[in-house]
Amino acid sequence: MNDTPATIFGATYLRISRDKGENEDTLQNHREMMEEFCRQNGYGYEMYEEIVSGGKYEIEERPQLQQMLANIEKYEAIFTVSLDRLSRNGLVSQQIKQMCIDYDIKIITPSQTFDLSNSQEDRLLYDVSSMFATLEYEMIGRRNKYNRLQRARRGEHVVGQPAYGYRRNKATHKLEIYEPEAAVVRYIFKLHNEGLGNRKIADILNSEGYKPRRGHSFRPCNVRRMLENPVYKGRLVLHDRERVKEKGKYSYKVADTIITDNAHPAIIPHEEWDLANRERAQRGAQAMILREKTAAKSGASMLKDLLYCGVCGRKLVIKKERNRGYFIRRCESLLPNSGEKCGNHGMKLKFMEEEMVLTIQAYRQQLQEALEHLQRRDSLHIRSELEERLVHLENQIDENRKQQANLLDMALKKVFPHEELKAAKERLLNQEHSLREQKDTALRQLQELEASPGMKLVDGIMNLLDEFAFQMPEEQNITLKQFIRRINFTRVLPDDIRALHERSREREEYPFSYTIEYF
């Protein structure tokens, strides 16, 4: 912060993006430039700086910008190297513009001052400059993407950290074998070829002192990913993802996959890797049959496939013992950070089932109260949200029309080249089309609004619970799986209780705890 007397007190915002190959040296250059600029003009300031892409869609993803805007009432201006340092995303740019208008904040760069509250021409220049910054960001992204795909086709490692067992050569950008880790990879495939599963392999690695690149111990998921990763047979796979909008939400879909064989030295021979993964697929298919098949002699239980260890998180086993009924078996998995066995003990299943029946009764009462609440307010709440959204969309459409009209004025005055104005106009037209589609969708939802989806969901679950007490255990299990993801069971016995005979009453009745994760 500059403490000298100032004609204007503001916030200096600096941002660089690693996507463009910028580094801390660039940030230092910008910092020195703005410090000198503020000193020469007698500006006081507080400094905000971050390393993040300017194309981020949410201000929440840019903590320094978010903090500066939260403190906006303290300032008279925002000082920055150029407008594109504030944002390269049209939505974020408009949010910044509106806050500057609301609080009468100027945006000052070494080459220009934007008085957005008092000058329509400055607002127009800001809008056009922001659109060009967004277009430039998209073009940079396309060039970087094309370059990345071409390098992947040449066998270069271009995304993320190298797989365990490899290091990236800084000169050739290709993977090279790192023998201390590669020996562990070969050992994992050897154990798998001997018929061992992921959990057993992880336990062996941990007991023999092997360590992953990160963390204290191997986990079954680590072993599975290594066995399935084609990088170990010399194949490089790069998924090209695109951001697409589906049902009103954005997500990333795989648009293309680049596969390059013999891109780097293989740790596992091609034939051995293929054989191991064929066996994995066969084992998985057989395990699925066994998992879904109800035991012919023991039958199904209410909590089948729902109980998980509350200590280590792994799935618990339910077993039927002769003349004693069902038992939750003790968890004997190795703890990931210590390599010691999990201390979560089992017990008779009937105690847990009795507790679940009471929980289901209480849960049904909660659902009844929730349904009554939804019936009182949910439809009205949804209608209110849709009406507010329609007003917001109308305002955005009006703003879009004003920008198109302003763009026409700029074309007549020949402020910008024809090609740049043409690209900006096309972008505004596409934005208007998208806004009108959103408006049509909101109108249709408003017209079709009859009953809340929340009410239908709650009512459906209540119907299932009404029949719960009359169902067979297998049917009860299916019912619970409709709305329960997992039940975390914990029963860690103290040393004095564990020393008692397993059939002693005090040990059998030692309390347990559980938590339920609902969908």
Side-chain angles (χ1 to χ4, degrees):
M1 178 176 174
N2 185 3
D3 295 326
T4 60
T7 57
I8 296 179
F9 180 75
T12 296
Y13 179 77
L14 307 177
R15 180 192 63 78
I16 64 170
S17 173
R18 295 199 187 279
D19 294 344
K20 297 175 61 178
E22 297 172 333
N23 53 36
E24 283 77 3
D25 291 337
T26 307
L27 188 62
Q28 178 65 22
N29 293 338
H30 288 185
R31 186 186 302 115
E32 293 174 356
M33 179 194 308
M34 294 308 297
E35 287 175 347
E36 178 65 18
F37 172 71
C38 291
R39 186 187 64 78
Q40 290 179 354
N41 290 276
Y43 298 151
Y45 59 86
E46 287 182 340
M47 186 77 73
Y48 298 86
E49 54 185 60
E50 57 190 343
I51 301 175
V52 65
S53 170
K56 294 289 186 182
Y57 289 87
E58 301 291 343
I59 289 181
E60 289 75 12
E61 298 180 87
R62 300 174 56 184
Q64 286 294 297
L65 177 63
Q66 186 180 19
Q67 183 179 349
M68 182 187 74
L69 295 178
N71 298 330
I72 197 71
E73 294 182 7
K74 297 167 51 178
Y75 310 124
E76 300 171 81
I78 296 173
F79 310 121
T80 187
V81 174
S82 59
L83 279 184
D84 62 355
R85 294 295 156 175
L86 286 175
S87 177
R88 288 182 176 272
N89 176 268
L91 178 60
V92 176
S93 294
Q94 289 303 310
Q95 289 176 293
I96 296 172
K97 170 190 170 184
Q98 191 58 50
M99 291 199 73
C100 289
I101 293 173
D102 292 342
Y103 291 94
D104 194 13
I105 305 295
K106 294 181 176 65
I107 297 177
I108 302 176
T109 72
S111 60
Q112 190 168 2
T113 297
F114 295 87
D115 187 358
L116 301 178
S117 295
N118 305 302
S119 172
Q120 184 175 354
E121 184 175 350
D122 283 355
R123 291 196 291 271
L124 176 59
L125 286 172
Y126 178 91
D127 289 340
V128 175
S129 299
S130 298
M131 281 190 288
F132 289 151
T134 303
L135 288 172
E136 182 186 9
Y137 173 77
E138 292 175 353
M139 288 188 290
I140 291 172
R142 284 193 291 268
R143 287 197 299 267
N144 289 342
K145 174 181 175 179
Y146 177 77
N147 179 54
R148 185 169 64 249
L149 296 180
Q150 289 302 112
R151 291 173 60 194
R153 291 187 177 96
R154 294 197 299 267
E156 297 181 18
H157 180 80
V158 295
V159 177
Q161 291 292 322
Y164 186 86
Y166 285 103
R167 293 293 186 271
R168 184 175 184 264
N169 187 302
K170 293 183 179 179
T172 65
H173 308 298
K174 293 194 173 186
L175 296 181
E176 295 179 347
I177 293 177
Y178 180 61
E179 194 54 43
E181 293 178 355
V184 181
V185 175
R186 297 188 189 99
Y187 188 35
I188 288 173
F189 274 83
K190 176 178 177 295
L191 293 173
H192 178 269
N193 292 338
E194 293 174 359
L196 301 183
N198 300 337
R199 190 179 303 280
K200 187 63 177 177
I201 293 173
D203 289 345
I204 291 174
L205 293 175
N206 294 328
S207 65
E208 295 182 5
Y210 292 104
K211 300 291 184 183
R213 188 177 296 168
R214 295 180 180 177
H216 300 285
S217 59
F218 280 94
R219 303 181 66 181
C221 60
N222 303 138
V223 175
R224 176 180 59 79
R225 290 177 188 141
M226 292 172 71
L227 290 168
E228 293 176 348
N229 197 339
V231 71
Y232 295 116
K233 64 175 180 178
R235 173 177 289 178
L236 183 69
V237 178
L238 176 67
H239 295 297
D240 175 25
R241 292 180 171 86
E242 290 184 351
R243 189 170 182 266
V244 297
K245 187 175 183 181
E246 292 182 348
K247 298 180 180 178
K249 295 183 179 180
Y250 286 100
S251 62
Y252 286 90
K253 300 287 187 180
V254 175
D256 191 15
T257 300
I258 307 299
I259 299 177
T260 306
D261 286 318
N262 303 316
H264 49 263
I267 295 177
I268 305 298
H270 195 288
E271 296 77 9
E272 182 181 343
W273 188 94
D274 287 346
L275 177 61
N277 278 273
R278 281 198 300 270
E279 290 181 355
R280 281 184 57 76
Q282 292 172 0
R283 293 183 197 176
Q286 184 63 28
M288 184 60 68
I289 295 173
L290 295 175
R291 189 179 300 119
E292 296 299 329
K293 183 179 178 181
T294 302
K297 294 183 178 179
S298 61
S301 64
M302 179 199 299
L303 302 179
K304 179 179 180 291
D305 296 330
L306 286 173
L307 288 176
Y308 288 79
C309 178
V311 177
C312 68
R314 290 169 179 166
K315 192 173 181 179
L316 295 175
V317 175
I318 297 174
K319 184 178 180 181
K320 186 175 183 180
E321 296 186 7
R322 182 178 298 178
N323 300 325
R324 297 188 64 198
Y326 287 100
F327 276 80
I328 303 172
R329 292 190 61 181
R330 174 181 176 177
C331 180
E332 297 184 345
S333 301
L334 293 179
L335 296 175
N337 294 328
S338 65
E340 299 179 355
K341 283 190 175 182
C342 178
N344 199 12
H345 282 69
M347 67 173 189
K348 287 184 177 181
L349 182 63
K350 71 172 185 177
F351 297 135
M352 186 66 209
E353 289 181 332
E354 290 170 357
E355 187 69 25
M356 277 302 300
V357 170
L358 297 175
T359 301
I360 291 301
Q361 293 173 355
Y363 183 62
R364 193 207 177 284
Q365 180 61 34
Q366 294 173 10
L367 288 178
Q368 178 66 41
E369 295 172 358
L371 181 60
E372 293 173 356
H373 180 66
L374 286 170
Q375 289 171 335
R376 287 194 300 269
R377 63 165 291 279
D378 202 56
S379 293
L380 181 61
H381 176 67
I382 294 174
R383 182 178 296 277
S384 175
E385 287 185 348
L386 287 172
E387 290 173 347
E388 289 179 6
R389 177 162 176 75
L390 279 170
V391 172
H392 180 66
L393 289 170
E394 285 286 1
N395 292 337
Q396 286 185 300
I397 292 172
D398 290 342
E399 180 65 25
N400 181 279
R401 289 173 179 169
K402 291 177 183 178
Q403 291 184 24
Q404 291 187 47
N406 291 336
L407 202 61
L408 180 59
D409 292 340
M410 298 293 290
L412 295 174
K413 295 177 182 179
K414 298 183 179 179
V415 177
F416 291 99
H418 175 71
E419 290 300 323
E420 292 182 356
L421 290 170
K422 182 180 178 181
K425 180 180 179 181
E426 182 179 353
R427 182 175 184 82
L428 284 173
L429 289 173
N430 290 336
Q431 184 185 31
E432 182 184 8
H433 179 70
S434 175
L435 289 171
R436 292 191 179 280
E437 284 186 341
Q438 294 177 53
K439 178 184 174 182
D440 292 341
T441 301
L443 284 171
R444 186 170 59 254
Q445 291 173 342
L446 192 60
Q447 293 169 355
E448 296 175 354
L449 183 62
E450 295 178 356
S452 165
M455 287 194 294
K456 293 181 180 179
L457 176 61
V458 173
D459 195 40
I461 295 175
M462 286 182 60
N463 289 335
L464 290 173
L465 296 183
D466 287 340
E467 302 172 1
F468 188 79
F470 307 101
Q471 293 175 337
M472 299 296 290
E474 187 172 357
E475 294 173 324
Q476 290 177 328
N477 180 249
I478 294 173
T479 296
L480 293 179
K481 289 177 180 177
Q482 299 296 311
F483 57 95
I484 293 179
R485 179 183 287 109
R486 59 190 284 167
I487 301 169
N488 299 307
F489 171 86
T490 305
R491 187 171 181 260
V492 180
L493 303 182
D495 292 341
D496 57 331
I497 299 297
R498 192 166 61 249
L500 300 175
H501 190 278
E502 63 178 14
R503 296 194 182 186
S504 70
R505 184 168 183 176
E506 186 177 2
R507 176 166 173 161
E508 280 191 346
E509 295 180 354
Y510 189 81
F512 61 94
S513 63
Y514 66 96
T515 58
I516 300 176
E517 296 182 19
Y518 297 97
F519 285 110

